[in-house]
Structures are given as C-alpha cells and as structure tokens.
C-alpha cells in the first residue's frame, strides 16, 4: 500500500456507522431522526472520524429496521424529509465529513409499489418478473418451490394466498415468492433489466444529493443459482452461523494457524456468492467512475474464504468490503494475526485496501462479545437468562482490540456508541424486541435488538438525553448502566473510553496510520502480537498476565488501552492491553 497523499479518501478513512433509529431524536417521539443526526454531526467531527455511514432512512414499514425499503428515493416520515437529508448532507460537507448511505438491492419491502403491482398483475406478468415468483411443488403446488430457509428463520417462501388480504392487492393466485429474509422483504430478480435500470437510477439520485459512497446490503445475495436448486447446507451470515476456527484448544501452541482454519472454505449455497453478482458491480463501478471517481462502493458480503471476498473489490468492482473475518476472529492472538495477514495479502493482491470492523448493528457489541469466550461469532444477542458478561473484562479487551484496529493499514469502521464502551445487556425484555429474527423464530433466536439500543448523550436526563430535551425514553429501553456511560459523563475525563477514542483517532490521523505498510515484529510469547506501522510499534497482549517488553531507553508510549509500566529499557504491558510505542 502506498503512503501517497493523493490516494482516494476511502483507502484509510475511519467511517462511523449511524443507525438512524437509535442515534438522536430531535422531534421527541422516541425514535431517532435525520435532524437529530445533523445536530450531532459536530460531535462526530470532534470524535475525529472521516465519514459517516447512515443505515437506511428510506420510506419503509420498518419490519426490519428500515432494511425493508418501500421507496428508495424518499425519507421515511419517522426520520424526516428529503429537505432534512439535504440539510444533513450540507452540514456534513461543511464539517469535512464524507457521507455514505445504505443501498438495499437484494430485496424491497412488500409495501414497495413494484411488489404491490406484481401481486395485482398475477402469474406470468411483466410485474412479477421483477421478483422471484414461482409455482409450488407437489400436488396442488402446496409445497414451496425449493427447500431454502429464511435467514431470519422459517421458510424462505411465502404463498400469495397466505398473505393477509390487505397486502394481497386483489391477487387470488397461489404462487410463491422468495424472501431470503422476512416475508415482508421479497427478493428482486436481478436477471430482469428493469431491476438493473432502477438501481442505476437510485445510485444517480443519491449521488446528486451529495452522497460520497454506498454501503451495499447483502451484496453477495443478488444473483441466485439458475433453477433455484434445493440446498442442504446452512446459511452463512451474521445472523446465522459464521463459524471461524475453534481456537480455544490451540491458543497455547506455537503452530502457525492455517488460514484455511480461520476462514473455512464454505459453500455459500445457491442463494449467495454466485459469480453473476460481479457483473452488477462492474455496471455500478462504471456509472460511479463517470459521476465521481472518488465515490466508494462498500460490500456487505458474508463470504468465505477471503479470496472470494477479494473478487468484490477487484479494480473494476467495489472499492471496499467489510472484513467480517476480523469481526468474528474472537480474542485470540493467533487467529487475529492470521486474519490480518490474509486480509492484507489477499485484498492487496487485487489492489484493494483492507477494512477492519469490530461492531455493527447486526452483532453483539464488541465490549460485550469479547468477554463471551473463545468464539468470535454468535450468538447474535443476549437474553435475560444468559449470564451478563463481565463488563470490565469486555471493555478491557474491546479497547485493546480497537487500538489495534486503528493502527492497521486500510480503513476502519466504527459503530455508534462503541466510543462510549456501550455493552449489550441481559436486561432487554422480550416484549420490546423488534428484530424479525426473534419474531419469526418465536424467540428461539434472540435477535439483534441489544446492539440497537438508543445512544446515551446526557446521563441525568430522561432516556439519557436520546430525545433532545424531551421527557421520553427511546424506542428500546436503555440498561441502567447507559446513564453512567453517557457522552456528558465521559467528556473531558482523561480515563474515559470516549477520550481514549478521541485520542487514538487524533493520533492515527497525525501519524498517517492506515496508510503505512505493516511488518510483523517478534514478541515475548504466543499471546502477544506485535507489528510496526511506520515507526510506531503496536503491541497487543491477549493474555491476562502482564508481559515485559524490551525497548530502547528513549522509547515513548504514544497511547495505551491500559496502564503501562514504563522503566528505562523496558515496559510492562498489563493483560488484555494494546500500546502504540515509538521506539
Ligand atoms: C444486512 C443488514 C441487516 C438486515 C439484512 C437484510 O445483513 O445488515 O441488518 O437485516 O441485511 O436486509
């Protein structure tokens, strides 16, 4: 990777994910909104991030928190208006923040005009060709067209005649339609040219409104295998079963980790990662190259191994892809090292910059997840009967992981609230849960609501200041600890997680980290990872005991996630700690 200053902004950007429902509520209805985000943009500038990614705010019945889009060119009244979006974009620009929006091309909402028209027009119609309607199997077509399961549980097919009358739009046939997610999220048929034309136009629409990049939802799902064949495997997604290596029993040996263990070559099934998806991204790349060569497309693609992910970021496709192998690597030096090595090598081989991410709106926050045990993937939420993970241990590991991530070459994605050390919590009561994964499985899957709890701005106010000045609580209740973790309780306190993030982000920018080459360094033991980026040495102690490092007499600790004991010629890193050292 080059250290050139002319590299496009996204190559080393720190991107902050905002989940609009839960960030800041300006109109006091308990639901976050665009004006709320605009009022908090200065906070993000001061935090020191380069870009803001907004999860969907489009017109939507909100069956899946807005990932069920009814109109791709309008703002849901819950979140404001197009004028509010324009104001947000203008303010972001003024503050020097880039803006990324979410694009959901795998499926629409069942409330989308196209789906309503498809139902009304009936089997064999032009309107149905934009979705995946099929006749059923077996006598009377009573069996679904294939055996696929929804990622949120239950079958991936719903029969038109089983739809409630108010949704059916007069349809009286008994075809089935495919939905890899909720039944209110019908999959589009990307063999249809109208679908292609529509999304090119949607990209143009948001680009004209000042957007710098697009995060592509379920980027690996758009094209399905010809004939929609049955499949016996298990769906691989955050919500499902990404399983990295079982590292617990190998952590104490010196054997190198085989990358194939950490990124098991999984058959993604006939619904995911089909070669045909790449044509779509080449088409989008060509459009954006013409509109704005600096624009970025970012793939949400849960595919393994890394070499399959690299295909999405070839020079004529997307610019970046989320690195879920890093997110699911767990708290294990050897697995983390192997994922870092493989990411840099395999993504670099196609000329792409690696990305790093530890939290998002689909997984347990890393301040809690890293205290859960060896596995980095699953579960996707905590329930009341689970033991509450050790908060101090989780936060220690989370800060160490974050400090490591922020030194890695490439760009880093942060999720709202991680800069406060917010945890997931077992106090979330089931009656509040809104995740379709919970609802479709009758609670067998606990779902992702725990990481979507509203932000906490002012500890002494109702709802910890989520709704500006209003005496209301947010759409999901906050655990009691959220008040103490509020922005106003952490601001200006040198030992707070917030000030730690601010300091790390400022240093990362000053030192040009993210644009440096990484080289590995020898370490005192298997639980310690050490690499150099420029003249900064980044050392992470994954173990729970202190380790002593020999350093030169003039070595300087630039920042550390724990209390480092500095002596002449050596320093002692406490357990579960990362330090940036200039040596
Ligand atoms: C992606 C989103 C997730 C959503 C799903 C369906 O995985 O991150 O939140 O439920 O796609 O759109």
């Amino acid at each position: 990777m080059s250290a050139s200053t002319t590299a496009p902004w996204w190559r080393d950007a720190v991107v902050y994910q905002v989940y609009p429902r839960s960030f800041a509520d300006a109109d006091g209805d308990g639901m976050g909104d665009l004006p709320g985000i605009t009022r908090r943009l200065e906070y993000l500038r001061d935090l020191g991030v380069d870009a803001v990614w907004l999860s969907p705010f489009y017109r939507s019945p909100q069956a899946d928190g807005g990932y069920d889009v009814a109109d791709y060119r309008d703002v849901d009244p819950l979140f404001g208006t197009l004028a509010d979006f324009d104001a947000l974009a203008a303010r972001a620009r003024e503050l020097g923040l880039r803006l990324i929006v979410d694009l959901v091309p795998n499926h629409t909402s069942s409330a989308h005009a196209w789906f309503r028209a498809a139902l009304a027009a009936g089997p064999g119609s032009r309107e149905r060709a934009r979705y995946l309607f099929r006749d059923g199997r077996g006598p009377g077509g009573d069996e679904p067209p294939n055996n696929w399961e929804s990622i949120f549980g239950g079958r991936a097919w719903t029969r038109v005649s089983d739809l409630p009358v108010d949704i059916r739009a007069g349809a009286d046939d008994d075809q089935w339609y495919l939905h890899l997610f909720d039944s209110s999220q019908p999959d589009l048929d990307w063999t249809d040219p109208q679908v292609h034309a529509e999304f090119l136009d949607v990209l143009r629409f948001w680009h004209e409104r000042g957007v710098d990049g697009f995060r592509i939802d379920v980027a690996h799902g758009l094209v399905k295998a010809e004939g929609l064949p049955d499949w016996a495997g298990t769906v691989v997604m955050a919500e499902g079963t990404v399983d990295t290596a079982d590292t617990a029993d190998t952590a104490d040996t010196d054997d190198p980790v085989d990358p194939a263990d950490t990124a098991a070559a999984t058959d993604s099934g006939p619904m995911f990662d089909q070669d045909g998806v790449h044509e779509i991204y080449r088409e989008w790349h060509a459009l954006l190259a013409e509109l704005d060569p600096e624009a970025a497309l970012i793939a949400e693609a849960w595919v393994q191994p890394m070499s399959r992910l690299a295909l999405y970021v070839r020079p004529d496709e997307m610019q970046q892809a989320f690195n879920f192998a890093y997110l699911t690597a767990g708290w294990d030096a050897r697995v983390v090292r192997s994922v870092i090595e493989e990411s840099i090598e395999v993504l670099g081989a196609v000329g792409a910059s690696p990305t790093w991410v530890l939290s998002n709106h689909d997984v347990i926050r890393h301040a809690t997840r890293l205290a859960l045990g060896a596995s980095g993937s699953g579960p996707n939420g905590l329930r009341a009967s689970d033991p509450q993970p050790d908060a101090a241990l989780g936060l220690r590991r989370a800060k160490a992981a974050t400090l490591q991530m922020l030194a890695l070459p490439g760009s880093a994605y942060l999720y709202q609230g991680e800069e406060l050390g917010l945890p997931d919590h077992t106090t979330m009561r089931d009656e509040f849960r809104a995740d379709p994964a919970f609802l479709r499985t009758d609670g067998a899957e606990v779902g992702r609501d725990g990481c979507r709890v509203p932000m906490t701005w002012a500890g002494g106010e109702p709802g910890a200041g989520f709704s500006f000045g209003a005496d209301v609580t947010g759409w999901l209740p906050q655990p009691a600890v959220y008040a103490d973790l509020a922005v106003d309780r952490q601001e200006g306190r040198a030992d707070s997680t917030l000030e730690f993030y601010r300091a790390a982000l400022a240093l990362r920018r000053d030192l040009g980290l993210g644009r440096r080459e990484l080289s590995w360094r020898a370490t005192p033991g298997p639980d310690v990872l050490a690499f150099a980026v420029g003249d900064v040495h980044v050392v992470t102690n994954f173990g729970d005991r202190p380790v002593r490092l020999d350093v030169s007499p003039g070595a300087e600790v630039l920042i550390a996630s724990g209390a480092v004991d500095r002596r002449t010629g050596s320093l002692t890193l406490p357990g579960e700690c990362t330090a940036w050292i200039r040596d």
Side-chain angles (χ1 to χ4, degrees):
M1 181 166 317
S2 97
S4 143
T5 48
T6 56
W9 64 273
W10 42 260
R11 278 197 87 94
D12 62 339
V14 177
V15 182
Y16 184 98
Q17 180 190 359
V18 167
Y19 192 66
R21 297 166 69 87
S22 306
F23 192 61
D25 169 24
D27 63 6
D29 64 354
M31 179 65 68
D33 45 43
L34 298 185
I37 299 169
T38 305
R39 286 169 71 170
R40 296 294 189 191
L41 285 177
E42 257 176 66
Y43 166 81
L44 298 182
R45 193 263 325 262
D46 296 345
L47 181 61
V49 301
D50 304 296
V52 179
W53 149 34
L54 303 177
S55 276
F57 49 81
Y58 314 111
R59 254 185 207 275
S60 158
Q62 301 289 316
D64 182 20
Y67 282 94
D68 47 323
V69 181
D71 184 345
Y72 290 86
R73 297 180 187 78
D74 202 2
V75 173
D76 195 276
L78 262 186
F79 301 127
T81 62
L82 276 174
D84 291 327
F85 177 83
D86 292 341
L88 188 160
R91 185 70 185 129
R93 224 179 353 264
E94 251 166 48
L95 294 170
L97 293 166
R98 303 276 183 168
L99 191 56
I100 296 170
V101 298
D102 223 298
L103 189 71
V104 188
N106 180 67
H107 44 266
T108 69
S109 161
S110 53
H112 191 284
W114 274 9
F115 192 69
R116 291 302 160 95
L119 288 174
S125 60
R126 172 91 231 19
E127 288 83 350
R128 284 212 177 173
R130 296 188 288 226
Y131 293 93
L132 291 154
F133 282 88
R134 294 289 183 274
D135 293 333
R137 294 201 285 207
D142 291 344
E143 295 301 317
N146 70 22
N147 69 351
W148 297 0
E149 307 240 308
S150 156
I151 285 154
F152 293 155
R155 16 163 105 128
W157 295 92
T158 291
R159 203 172 195 187
V160 173
S161 50
D162 287 337
L163 285 170
V165 174
D166 59 318
I167 298 184
R168 225 187 285 169
D172 61 359
D173 63 286
D174 49 18
Q175 278 203 311
W176 301 72
Y177 66 89
L178 177 72
H179 51 87
L180 293 183
F181 295 88
D182 188 46
S183 56
S184 65
Q185 295 168 296
D187 279 53
L188 286 163
D189 185 342
W190 274 88
T191 63
D192 189 308
Q194 286 187 6
V195 175
H196 285 253
E198 171 71 359
F199 278 89
L200 287 170
D201 197 58
V202 170
L203 285 168
R204 246 186 239 111
F205 178 90
W206 290 104
H207 171 261
E208 275 165 22
R209 295 197 105 89
V211 159
D212 300 292
F214 298 86
R215 177 263 190 193
I216 309 304
D217 190 61
V218 198
H220 56 317
L222 277 50
V223 173
K224 280 78 181 172
E226 178 98 46
L228 310 179
D230 276 344
W231 190 53
T234 317
V235 166
V236 178
M237 286 286 281
E239 301 85 353
T241 55
V242 175
D243 229 336
T244 48
D246 175 11
T247 56
D249 55 354
T250 53
D252 294 331
T253 75
D254 282 332
D255 306 335
V257 173
D258 178 350
D261 284 346
T262 58
T266 317
D267 173 5
S268 303
M271 65 291 283
F272 286 127
D273 198 24
Q274 302 297 305
D275 291 336
V277 292
H278 298 289
E279 274 167 42
I280 301 168
Y281 304 130
R282 282 194 273 273
E283 191 174 274
W284 294 2
H285 180 103
L287 172 74
L288 289 179
E290 192 186 301
L291 298 177
D292 172 8
E294 285 253 301
L297 293 166
I298 303 130
E300 187 223 16
W302 291 83
V303 302
Q304 295 173 350
M306 193 70 77
S307 54
R308 290 296 301 179
L309 190 67
L311 300 179
Y312 290 77
V313 290
R314 286 176 288 186
D316 59 349
E317 296 199 28
M318 303 215 220
Q319 279 68 25
Q320 294 193 328
F322 288 98
N323 192 337
F324 295 124
Y326 188 66
L327 186 149
T328 55
W331 186 249
D332 184 289
R334 298 168 68 254
V335 178
V336 170
R337 174 171 172 153
S338 133
V339 169
I340 294 173
E341 263 170 357
E342 202 189 3
S343 306
I344 293 174
E345 185 188 319
V346 177
L347 299 170
V350 292
S353 56
T355 68
W356 314 99
V357 61
L358 291 164
S359 280
N360 66 30
H361 67 295
D362 289 330
V363 298
I364 293 183
R365 288 174 170 283
H366 68 290
T368 299
R369 195 181 68 240
L370 291 177
L372 279 177
S375 170
S377 60
N380 60 6
L382 298 175
R383 59 180 85 240
S385 54
D386 289 328
Q388 179 64 36
D390 181 333
L393 173 72
L395 187 59
R396 235 180 5 254
R397 290 179 172 179
K399 287 171 70 176
T402 298
L403 198 59
Q404 176 189 75
M405 172 174 82
L406 291 177
L408 290 169
S411 74
Y413 284 78
L414 308 180
Y415 176 54
Q416 67 182 38
E418 68 168 85
E419 76 281 15
L420 306 176
L422 296 185
D424 274 36
H425 217 278
T426 50
T427 54
M428 167 81 70
R429 292 209 311 275
D430 285 355
E431 70 211 65
F432 291 107
R433 295 189 189 278
D435 186 344
F438 176 81
L439 304 172
R440 285 180 64 88
T441 61
D442 287 329
E445 280 288 335
V446 65
R448 302 158 294 173
D449 295 298
C451 61
R452 300 173 176 182
V453 171
M455 274 283 281
T456 164
W457 298 96
E461 289 179 22
F466 172 61
S467 301
F468 287 91
D471 191 6
V472 293
T473 48
W475 68 283
L476 284 172
Q478 295 159 326
V481 292
Y482 270 38
D484 284 340
L485 296 171
V487 170
D488 71 339
R489 301 267 165 98
Q490 300 202 35
E491 218 150 27
R493 251 188 43 211
D495 64 342
S496 72
T497 308
L498 176 58
E499 294 300 344
F500 166 75
Y501 265 74
R502 285 179 174 168
L505 288 164
L507 263 172
R508 171 187 161 97
R509 188 172 281 177
D510 290 351
L511 298 167
L513 303 184
R515 271 185 273 144
R516 311 272 169 208
E517 301 266 350
L518 174 149
S519 51
W520 294 100
R521 290 286 180 265
T523 73
D527 280 344
V528 182
L529 268 198
F531 58 82
V533 273
D535 64 351
V536 179
H537 286 214
V538 177
V539 186
T540 303
N541 179 8
F542 285 80
D544 55 6
R545 304 220 191 94
V547 289
R548 216 186 73 122
L549 306 170
D550 293 326
V551 292
S552 64
E556 190 191 347
V557 178
L558 301 171
I559 186 170
S561 66
V564 173
D565 186 15
R566 176 90 181 75
R567 305 277 161 92
T568 310
S570 79
L571 49 84
T572 303
L573 215 55
E576 289 147 340
C577 176
T578 295
W580 293 359
I581 301 156
R582 185 178 276 133
D583 193 7

